[in-house]
Amino acid sequence: MTTAEPAAPGPAAPGLWRHGGFLRLWAGETASQFGEQFGNLAIPVIAVSVLGATSFEVGLLNAAETLAFLVIGLPAGAWIDRWIKRRVMLRADVIRAVLLAAIPVLWFTHVLAFWELLIVATAVGVCSVFFDVSYQSFIPNLVRNDQIGDANSKLETSAQVARIAGPAAAGGLLALLAAPLLLAVTAGTYLLSFFALTSIRDTEVAKPVEDRRPLMVEIKEGLSWVFHQPLLVRIVLCTAISNLFGSLVFAMMPILVLRELGLSPAFYGLIGSAGAVGGLLGASLSGRIQKWVGEGHAIPLSEIVFALSLFLVPLAAFLPALAVPLLIVGEFFFSASVLVYNIAQVSFRQRICPPALLGRMNASIRFIVWGVMPIGGLAAGLLSTGIGVVPTIIVGCAGSLLAGIPVFFSKLWRMRTLPTEMVAAPADDVPPASAFEPGAEPEGSGPTEPLT
C-alpha cells in the first residue's frame, strides 16, 4: 500500500494560535466540556442518591443518553451535510441549556421523577448527535488539512483539563449543594459555548436544494464510503465492540462506587478528576507518541492499554481497602490511552474523507460505534439484575479486551504513517472523490428532498 504525499498547506492560512475562528471554537468547547463534566456526574448521582434508582434503571438511563445515535444518527449525518454546521451547533447548545435547566426547576418544585430525568437525558442525547457530528465535520472546514491533527490534539487537551478540574469541582459542590443544582451550571456553560460560536465567521454555505439527493441515497453514500475503506472498517469495528462492552462497565460504575463501595459523591468526583490527569497527558503527548511508535502502531497499542486498565475497576470491588487508588490508576491509564487512540483515528478519517461527505462519514461511524452504547447500557441493567453488578463489570472488561482483535490482526502494524487520502477505491455505487468537490454535479440525482 502506498501513501500519497500530503498536499502543500495554503500559504495564507494562519497558525492555530493566530486562528481566531479556531480559538473561539476552542474556548466554547472548553466551557461546554466543563459543564458536561458537571452533568456527567450530576445525572447518575440524581438517579442513585436522590431518586433511589435501581441498577436496571441506571442502565436504562445510560442507554437513553446515547440512544439517539442509534435511532437518528444516520439521517442526522445527511441533514448536516446539507446544512451550515455552525448553525446546527448553535441550536443544539441552546436546546441543551433549556432542557438541563428544567431539572433543577422540577426538583425545586418537588415534582422531579425518574421518568422526567430519562426524558431529558434522551432529548439532550438527540441534541448531542447533531452537535457532535457537526463539530467533527466543522473542524476540516475551519482549519487546513495539515492542521487537523494539531486542532484535535488541542481540543482534546482542553477537554482533559475539564475532566480533571470538572469532577473535582463537582464533587466539592456536591458536598455543599444538591445534585440537581449542578445541572443549572451545565446549562450556563452551554450558553457560553453558544456565544463563542456566534462570533466565528466561516465561509460555509448550505448545499443548494437542487443538488440534494433523496435522503436514503445520501445516507447510503456515507455508509458505502466508510465500508469501502478496509483500514477504517477495522478501526470502526474495534471501537464499536469496545464501546459495547465498555458500556457495561461505565453504566454500573455509579452503583459500584456509590452503593457497593459506599463512597460519597465527592469521592466519585475525585476519582474521575484524578483519573483524567492521564487523559490530559495522553492528549498533550499524542503527537509525540505517534511519532515515537508510529501512527499505525499507536492504535492497537493504545487499545491494549485501555482494555487492560478496565480490569482495575472490578479489582477494586475485591480489594475495597484499595478501591480509591485502584480506580484512580485505572482511570489514569484508560483516559490516557483512549485519547491517543481517538486522536489518531479521528484525524486519520478526517484527512481521507472528501469534504462533502464529512457529515455523513462521521454520522455513519457514530451510528455504529455509539449506536451500540444504548444496547450495552440496557444489557448492563438486565445482566446486573441477573448476575450482579461486579460480574457484569467483569464481562464488560473481558469483551473490551477482545475488541482489539480487528486492529491487532491488521496492516496497522506495518504502517508508521497513516494514509492521507482514500485507502481503497469506492464501489461502483459510490461516486468518486471528485464528485464531492464543491461545484461538482452529483451523478444520478433523484427527486429533491425538502429541508427538514
Side-chain angles (χ1 to χ4, degrees):
M1 180 182 298
T2 59
T3 302
E5 291 295 325
L16 290 183
W17 286 107
R18 295 169 50 223
H19 193 307
F22 173 76
L23 293 177
R24 292 182 182 95
L25 175 68
W26 194 7
E29 263 306 285
T30 301
S32 65
Q33 285 288 344
F34 269 91
E36 185 178 346
Q37 297 311 308
F38 281 68
N40 287 344
L41 189 67
I43 289 177
V45 169
I46 292 170
V48 174
S49 300
V50 177
L51 301 176
T54 65
S55 61
F56 174 76
E57 287 175 329
V58 172
L60 188 63
L61 182 63
N62 183 271
E65 293 174 340
T66 53
L67 181 63
F69 282 96
L70 181 63
V71 176
I72 63 166
L74 289 177
W79 287 324
I80 287 166
D81 275 338
R82 297 175 176 184
W83 301 338
I84 298 175
K85 297 170 184 63
R86 186 172 62 91
R87 293 182 183 175
V88 176
M89 292 188 284
L90 289 169
R91 292 165 185 166
D93 272 340
V94 171
I95 296 172
R96 286 188 292 188
V98 171
L99 288 169
L100 290 171
I103 295 297
V105 173
L106 292 170
W107 170 79
F108 187 74
T109 54
H110 306 288
V111 294
L112 179 63
F114 177 78
W115 67 268
E116 292 166 332
L117 191 65
L118 194 66
I119 289 173
V120 169
T122 305
V124 169
V126 172
C127 294
S128 295
V129 168
F130 286 95
F131 185 94
D132 291 350
V133 174
S134 298
Y135 167 69
Q136 287 198 336
S137 305
F138 183 59
I139 292 171
N141 290 329
L142 191 64
V143 305
R144 300 196 312 258
N145 193 54
D146 63 304
Q147 294 175 319
I148 289 174
D150 188 27
N152 284 325
S153 181
K154 283 179 167 57
L155 289 163
E156 288 294 350
T157 298
S158 62
Q160 288 308 305
V161 171
R163 290 180 184 126
I164 293 168
L173 287 174
L174 282 174
L176 303 172
L177 303 174
L181 296 178
L182 289 180
L183 294 183
V185 178
T186 304
T189 58
Y190 284 130
L191 291 179
L192 289 176
S193 174
F194 170 84
F195 289 120
L197 290 171
T198 57
S199 64
I200 296 175
R201 297 294 177 260
D202 65 275
T203 58
E204 185 180 12
V205 295
K207 187 175 182 179
V209 174
E210 60 271 17
D211 289 346
R212 297 174 186 169
R213 302 178 181 189
L215 188 64
M216 291 306 298
V217 172
E218 294 191 346
I219 290 173
K220 183 183 176 183
E221 283 178 355
L223 282 170
S224 296
W225 188 87
V226 170
F227 281 106
H228 285 89
Q229 306 301 310
L231 195 60
L232 185 58
V233 167
R234 287 182 172 271
I235 295 171
V236 169
L237 187 59
C238 170
T239 308
I241 298 172
S242 180
N243 281 348
L244 175 65
F245 285 96
S247 295
L248 271 67
V249 179
F250 293 108
M252 292 296 103
M253 276 282 284
I255 298 290
L256 175 68
V257 173
L258 299 174
R259 193 168 292 168
E260 301 277 332
L261 295 173
L263 298 176
S264 69
F267 270 112
Y268 186 38
L270 178 63
I271 290 166
S273 181
V277 173
L280 174 62
L281 189 64
S284 60
L285 297 180
S286 174
R288 295 182 185 179
I289 291 171
Q290 290 180 50
K291 289 180 181 177
W292 179 40
V293 303
E295 290 179 343
H297 301 169
I299 292 175
L301 286 174
S302 57
E303 201 285 337
I304 293 172
V305 175
F306 71 67
L308 290 176
S309 66
L310 282 179
F311 281 93
L312 296 182
V313 176
L315 184 60
F318 292 106
L319 300 172
L322 299 175
V324 172
L326 284 172
L327 290 171
I328 288 174
V329 172
E331 288 277 347
F332 179 93
F333 284 104
F334 179 83
S335 297
S337 50
V338 162
L339 265 295
V340 173
Y341 177 93
N342 279 342
I343 290 172
Q345 60 96 4
V346 170
S347 299
F348 163 58
R349 76 194 200 207
Q350 287 174 339
R351 291 198 306 255
I352 66 173
C353 184
L357 266 179
L358 280 166
R360 282 168 285 171
M361 176 274 291
N362 283 317
S364 297
I365 292 176
R366 285 292 180 95
F367 167 75
I368 298 166
V369 305
W370 283 32
V372 299
M373 293 171 68
I375 299 172
L378 185 60
L382 294 170
L383 198 59
S384 63
T385 302
I387 66 175
V389 171
V390 176
T392 298
I393 293 175
I394 293 173
V395 171
C397 293
S400 295
L401 186 60
L402 294 176
I405 290 174
V407 293
F408 294 162
F409 301 100
S410 72
K411 296 180 180 178
L412 289 168
W413 293 112
R414 302 198 298 272
M415 303 173 70
R416 284 196 60 84
T417 303
L418 291 173
T420 57
E421 63 178 14
M422 292 174 63
V423 294
D428 292 340
D429 59 343
V430 183
S434 60
F436 300 110
E437 294 300 322
E441 279 295 320
E443 300 175 4
S445 297
T448 303
E449 284 281 312
L451 183 64
T452 57

